[in-house]
Structures are given as C-alpha cells and as structure tokens.
Amino acid sequence: MLSSSHALSHAVPKHPLNFSRAALDAFRKLDPRALTGNPVILTTEIVAFLSTVSAVAAISAGTSAVFILQIALWLWATVLFANFAEAVAEGRGKAQADALRATRVTTIAKVIVDEAKGFIVPLPVNELLPGAIVLVEAGDVIPADGEIIEGVASVNEAAITGESAPVIRESGGDRSAVTGGTTVISDWIKVRITSQPGSTFLDRMIAMVEGADRRKTPNEIALAVLLAGLTLIFLIAVVSLVGLGHYSGVDLNPVVLGALFVTLIPTTIGGLLSAVGIAGMDRLLKVNVLATSGRAVEAAGDIDTLLLDKTGTITFGNRMATEVIPTPGLRAEVAMRAALMASLADETPEGRSIITLAGQQGVTAEMPVGAKAIAFSAHTRQSGLEAEGQVWRKGAVDAVLKDLHLDETMLPTAFRASVERIARSGGTPLAVAENGKLVGVIHLKDVVKPGVKERFADLRRMGVRTVMITGDNPITAAAIASESGVDDFLAEATPEDKLRMINAEQGKGRLVAMCGDGANDAPALAQADVGVAMQTGAQAAREAGNMVDLDSDPTKIIEIVEVGKQLLITRGALTTFSIANDVAKYFAIIPAMFVVSLPALGSLNIMGLASPQSAILSAVIFNAIIIVMLIPLALRGVRYRAIGAGRLLARNLLLYGAGGLVAPFIGIKTIDLILSAIGFV
C-alpha cells in the first residue's frame, strides 16, 4: 500500500518568544515607510534624526555635543522600544506560523479512480484537484482539506489545534470535515477533496497567524486620529515656548525643544497601540480560535446578540440513543440486547450510538457468524440483523408495528405513553422487535453539548442575548432551547430567515455574532459582525466567517467575548495612562526649565530637578523606559471583570489615570538623581 512520506506524531510545540528576532525586527522597522501608520512614533523618529544631525554638526564644529548626543540616543531608543513592542507581539504569531510550517509534509495521495475495482493511483498533493476522492488509511497524512464520504477514523489534529489527543472523524453530521496536514491514527476514510492545491486551511492559517493581512480596526484608526490631534496640540504648545523663552531671556536649543516635544506627545500609547491589537488576536489563538480580522476581535467585545445554529453547534449534530425503554413485563437488559443486535451492522451515527449506549450499560455482543445485515430502505424504514434463525429489527414505530401486524389498540398503554413522551420532547422513537415480538422503544435525540447551559448563563450575565436558530419544528426547537438554556429560538429557519434576523438586529444598532458550521450558515456568518465557524464544519462556513474555532466548541464564544472586551479595556487603560502621563510631564518639566529666569515658577517646581538640562534628559529617558515597562501589560492585557461600564471607567481612572499622573514625577525625579550622581548633566 502507498503511504505518506512523513506523519505527524506529536502536538505542535508552543514556541517561546524569540527576543533576538524581535530586536532585529525593531531595527528593520526604523524604515520611515513602516511607521507611516503611526504618526506619533514617526514624529519621534524625525526628531531623533534631526537631533543626531545636530549632534554631528556640533562635533564637527568642535563644540561639546554630549548633552545633544544623549538626547539623540534616547530618542532613537524610544523609537526602537516602540518597534520592539510591536515586534514582540508579532513574534508570537511568527513563532506559531513557523511551528505550523514545520508540520507541512510531502504527501502522496491515494486517488480512487475506479471504486468498483478498487483501483488507486498515487498522485502528489500539489496535483490534487477539488472533487477527487482519496483513500486515507492508518498512518497516512490527509493530503488536503475535504469531506469524509465514507468510513470513520481516529485523527491526530495536532498540526491544527496543538492538541495531541486524537479525535473521531466520520461521514455525515458535524464531524465530517477534515484538514490537510492532519494524520489518520486508526481505521480508514474516503475523502472528497474540497480545496485547491496550495490553498488548504493550514496554508491560510499560516498566513493569518503571521498577521500579513491584518488591517487597522475602526477603533485603532479613531485612536490614531486622536493621537495625531494631541501631537498637533503639543506641537503648538512647544512652539509657543519659543516666545516665552525669548521674553524671559532663556535660550532654548532646537534640540531641547524637539526633545520636549517628544516627551509631551502620547508616545506611550503610540508605541504600544499596534502591540495591543496584535496581542488580542494572539490571545484568541491561545484558546484555539483563529481570527482572520482584528476588527472582529474588537467587535466581539461589544456584541449584544449571539445567534447559534443548533445542529453541530449547540448539539452534537447526530441524533444519539439516550435510553431503551422495554415493553411492560420485559427486563431492561432484554430490550437493550435486542436493540444492540439490531444495530451491529448499522454504520450510521445513530446505530453506533446505540452500540455505545449498550456498552455503557454493560451489554455487549459479537457479530454472529454468517449473520445477514438488513439494510435500511426508504420503503421498509427499518434495519436489523438475521442470524442463526433469529431476527432483530428496529425502525419507525408505525413501520415496525405494520411488519408485526399490530395496531395501536393492541399496544400496552405504557409503550404508547413512552412513544408520545419521546415525540413531545422533540426526540425520535424507534421501535425494536425480536423474533416477531415488540420488545421496546429506543429514544433518539439531539444531545446538547456538555457545559452549554452554564456557559449561556455566563453570556447572559455579560449582557449577551443568545438565540438558537434551527430548521426543526417548533416542538423540537422548544425542547432543545429549554435544555440548552438559550434566551430565545427561531424554528423552521431558512438561510434567508437567518439573514433577515441578523439585519433586523443590526438595524437596531446591535452588534451580532453568529456561530455555525454548515454551508447553509455561510451567508449569516458573512453578514454577522462576528462570524465564528466551527473547524469541523463545511468549507463554505469556514471561509465565510471571520473567526474559526479549531475545537468546534460553541461555548468558546465566552472566551472570544472576554478577549474582545480585554482588548478594548487594555487599549483604554493604556490611553488613559498615556494622556495622564503627558499632562504630568508637562507640569513637571516646564517649571524646571524656566525657574532660573522666572523665579515665580519656583512654587511649581515641586520636584526640585537639578537643572533644565537634567529635566529634559530625565524626561526623555523616562519616556523611553516606560514603553518597555508597559510591554508585558500590552501583551497580557488588562484583566476583564464582568462589572458595569461606570465601575469600569472609575477603576480605569483611579488606577491608570492616577498612575499616569504620579509615575512621571517619581520616575523623572529618580532618573534626575541618578544623572546628577554620575555627573551626566
């Protein structure tokens, strides 16, 4: 048999940050073209360049340039530290992309060209076209993205999710999608290829985690405009000092004015703005959610309504057996064994769930020698097994009763009550017969995924309204909605209904998130502000959404919302700190610069800085160092707490506003004492 040239056998390593790589990237980002999107840091670089030119000119003229050179070096350090913060944030994505790239394999696909004769042709994966049917056996790497059309297998998806524990993938339901680069551990599957050569999900994932397609979000753009406005205001303020200096007899060196300008503009948030946005996307990746848009991460922090597809999102997607109810007078083990025997040859998810349920209750059986499978057909609406003169069947209640020549009046009251109870709850009753006798009824139902109800309660506390959307009838929808704990539901919904509901919510000014996995969810995923597609879902759904949940867990929306809120809170906290920081620096430095010529300012010189030169240099050094000190906060993010907006604002003002006012006084004075002690000024 043909096999892949390599196989993945372990999880993708979580690479530590590469600080040397980030340092090199910080120097590469000194290219002014790389800073055009960040006017604050671009302005700082221009001032640093002019200061350097001034220092070189002073040295050429034979005059002392120590003070000017120190200012120039610290201004360059400010730019480098800001670039370093962004490079460190980007480095996480690059490290993950490198790890993913390392999992790429050279695969030879087993293309089935004649299924009847079992004829297989080896074909390199780069020649594999959509629609091709390939056989993937134990030990083989799945050559490209596709849908399982036959078989069931255990698959190692470590290349995508980073989790080494294998998962079950099978035809039908919400577990039929497979990803190129993952490995079949046991059994076999036939896969219909859905991706073009070189455009597998793994390829797109590598490009996205590298951040190549990241664009500034509206919030970032608005903040950049604010920072540009503040920069202009402080430029006017600094230029006005020229007149004040002339009036008071203080000769203000252009380099000093430039340094003062840089220390007063909001360089702190300017240097950390990109890092905060990139780190937000990286935090989603840590919880196995791939964000293709920074805009979506931000929107997740403000969503009001969450729409969830039922099948495959809230429920497992396949109806599963939850109980076998015996007819009166029979032991439960007898009915369970009959259901098991009728399902031994049933390869459908429902049939396998009956076998699993029997095993959980300690009832097991082997396939009898010479057994004959009775396949399900639309005509009989039954399936089962014949062996050693015995017959076991299961199927639609009316079909089994007709085969047994029974009518409802001949049924035990308890049996009829069980069938009615199952139907009212939205489940599907299957009658079970053994050797021509009715022995029980199987309860098939959509099983809600574990933990869903508790997580929806958490969303409710966060102010997010949850709505389940399903094509089921209202009775079934109501039962699942009650069990899962959603706030509302829409039954018998078509793709057009989903779109209309999203448009209606957005028309009321609400931000809408949509979770789905099917091709019929694709339009809604594309229209929603936040579209979360399940990784195991259809290719169309994954391409339509702006996020992909690699674990296919709808409760992951909790983490998505928290990360979005954390991103917004972090940016707000750092902006508050930066603006308060600039105001404090203004009142800390200006009195020290003019106190000699304007003694009346002495009462404002509360810091008692050694000299005007020391005041400027200390402020420039503090301005550079504070960026480095805040990098961990920008990457980690401010912890999100489910409190009201008023309390959150008060907390930010108290902690980061007051902190931004106090920190410059402490930092600049400390640096001033050190500079004076070592004789730098």
Side-chain angles (χ1 to χ4, degrees), residues 156-347:
N156 181 349
E157 296 187 340
I160 303 300
T161 66
E163 298 295 334
S164 57
V167 295
I168 301 299
R169 293 288 175 256
E170 59 189 347
S171 59
D174 70 334
R175 296 185 293 180
S176 62
V178 289
T179 304
T182 57
T183 307
V184 170
I185 302 300
S186 66
D187 301 296
W188 59 270
I189 49 177
K190 291 181 182 178
V191 178
R192 178 183 291 111
I193 302 302
T194 58
S195 62
Q196 294 285 347
S199 64
T200 66
F201 182 72
L202 185 59
D203 293 315
R204 295 194 302 276
M205 186 173 176
I206 290 171
M208 287 185 285
V209 298
E210 283 183 317
D213 298 327
R214 203 185 84 86
R215 298 288 184 268
K216 284 188 179 295
T217 65
N219 187 282
E220 284 180 296
I221 294 172
L223 188 52
V225 172
L226 172 64
L227 298 184
L230 289 174
T231 300
L232 181 60
I233 290 171
F234 279 113
L235 176 62
I236 296 171
V238 170
V239 170
S240 68
L241 291 179
V242 176
L244 178 61
H246 179 74
Y247 169 78
S248 60
V250 177
D251 184 20
L252 294 176
N253 187 302
V255 173
V256 170
L257 285 174
L260 177 62
F261 173 57
V262 168
T263 59
L264 294 181
I265 63 177
T267 49
T268 305
I269 184 60
L272 297 171
L273 180 60
S274 294
V276 172
I278 296 170
M281 296 178 72
D282 176 70
R283 282 193 292 276
L284 273 185
L285 192 59
K286 286 184 177 179
V287 296
N288 271 357
V289 175
L290 183 65
T292 64
S293 162
R295 182 192 301 263
V297 181
E298 277 192 3
D302 283 331
I303 65 168
D304 304 291
T305 305
L306 169 63
L307 309 182
L308 303 105
D309 177 55
K310 186 209 73 174
T311 305
T313 304
I314 292 178
T315 66
F316 280 107
N318 297 314
R319 296 198 168 213
M320 302 171 67
T322 58
E323 60 178 335
V324 176
I325 306 167
T327 54
L330 283 181
R331 291 183 296 112
E333 294 82 358
V334 173
M336 179 59 75
R337 178 175 172 76
L340 172 62
M341 296 303 296
S343 305
L344 284 179
D346 188 352
E347 290 297 322

Side-chain angles (χ1 to χ4, degrees), residues 417-442:
S418 296
V419 171
E420 291 173 4
R421 174 178 63 82
I422 293 170
R424 281 198 306 270
S425 68
T428 301
L430 294 181
V432 182
E434 181 178 36
N435 298 325
K437 293 183 179 179
L438 186 66
V439 296
V441 60
I442 302 169

Side-chain angles (χ1 to χ4, degrees), residues 90-110:
E90 290 175 343
R92 297 187 178 196
K94 289 178 180 178
Q96 183 72 11
D98 289 343
L100 289 169
R101 201 173 279 113
T103 66
R104 280 176 164 168
V105 292
T106 303
T107 306
I108 301 297
K110 304 170 184 176

Side-chain angles (χ1 to χ4, degrees), residues 381-607:
R381 293 187 294 151
Q382 298 180 69
S383 63
L385 193 71
E386 294 181 0
E388 301 172 351
Q390 299 191 76
V391 180
W392 299 273
R393 279 187 171 80
K394 69 177 190 301
V397 174
D398 60 334
V400 172
L401 294 181
K402 181 179 179 181
D403 193 56
L404 297 178
H405 306 292
L406 297 174
D407 59 43
E408 289 194 3
T409 60
M410 303 168 65
L411 297 177
T413 302
F415 181 87
R416 290 202 305 270
S418 296
V419 171
E420 291 173 4
R421 174 178 63 82
I422 293 170
R424 281 198 306 270
S425 68
T428 301
L430 294 181
V432 182
E434 181 178 36
N435 298 325
K437 293 183 179 179
L438 186 66
V439 296
V441 60
I442 302 169
H443 184 178
L444 292 181
K445 64 174 291 189
D446 277 332
V447 177
V448 173
K449 293 181 177 179
V452 163
K453 190 167 188 175
E454 294 76 12
R455 301 291 262 174
F456 288 162
D458 290 339
L459 281 170
R460 194 173 299 109
R461 285 190 289 270
M462 296 166 70
V464 178
R465 174 172 168 260
T466 54
V467 181
M468 181 187 76
I469 301 179
T470 177
D472 286 338
N473 62 70
I475 294 176
T476 301
I480 297 297
S482 175
E483 186 176 351
S484 63
V486 294
D487 296 315
D488 200 356
F489 67 90
L490 178 65
E492 298 178 341
T494 64
E496 292 76 15
D497 292 332
K498 298 175 186 179
L499 269 180
R500 275 194 292 271
M501 187 168 193
I502 292 174
N503 286 325
E505 290 289 308
Q506 291 173 333
K508 298 173 185 176
R510 295 170 182 161
L511 287 179
V512 181
M514 169 74 188
C515 286
D517 69 329
N520 63 333
D521 297 321
L525 287 167
Q527 177 63 32
D529 300 285
V530 181
V532 185
M534 303 294 108
Q535 161 62 9
T536 55
Q539 182 76 12
R542 289 188 289 178
E543 292 180 352
N546 45 34
M547 292 186 187
V548 178
D549 178 10
L550 302 178
D551 295 327
S552 299
D553 177 6
T555 66
K556 190 72 67 62
I557 192 67
I558 296 286
E559 281 85 356
I560 294 173
V561 171
E562 287 180 349
V563 168
K565 289 184 180 296
Q566 189 181 39
L567 185 151
L568 295 173
I569 292 169
T570 301
R571 189 177 290 151
L574 289 175
T575 302
T576 302
F577 180 91
S578 182
I579 294 175
N581 200 30
D582 296 330
V583 172
K585 283 184 288 186
Y586 187 87
F587 287 102
I589 300 170
I590 300 300
M593 291 180 61
F594 293 94
V595 68
V596 175
S597 57
L598 297 175
L601 292 177
S603 58
L604 296 178
N605 187 22
I606 59 176
M607 296 177 66

Side-chain angles (χ1 to χ4, degrees), residues 131-175:
I133 307 296
V134 299
L135 173 67
V136 190
E137 299 174 295
D140 291 352
V141 173
I142 296 172
D145 298 348
E147 297 281 340
I148 300 175
I149 60 172
E150 184 179 346
V152 57
S154 177
V155 180
N156 181 349
E157 296 187 340
I160 303 300
T161 66
E163 298 295 334
S164 57
V167 295
I168 301 299
R169 293 288 175 256
E170 59 189 347
S171 59
D174 70 334
R175 296 185 293 180

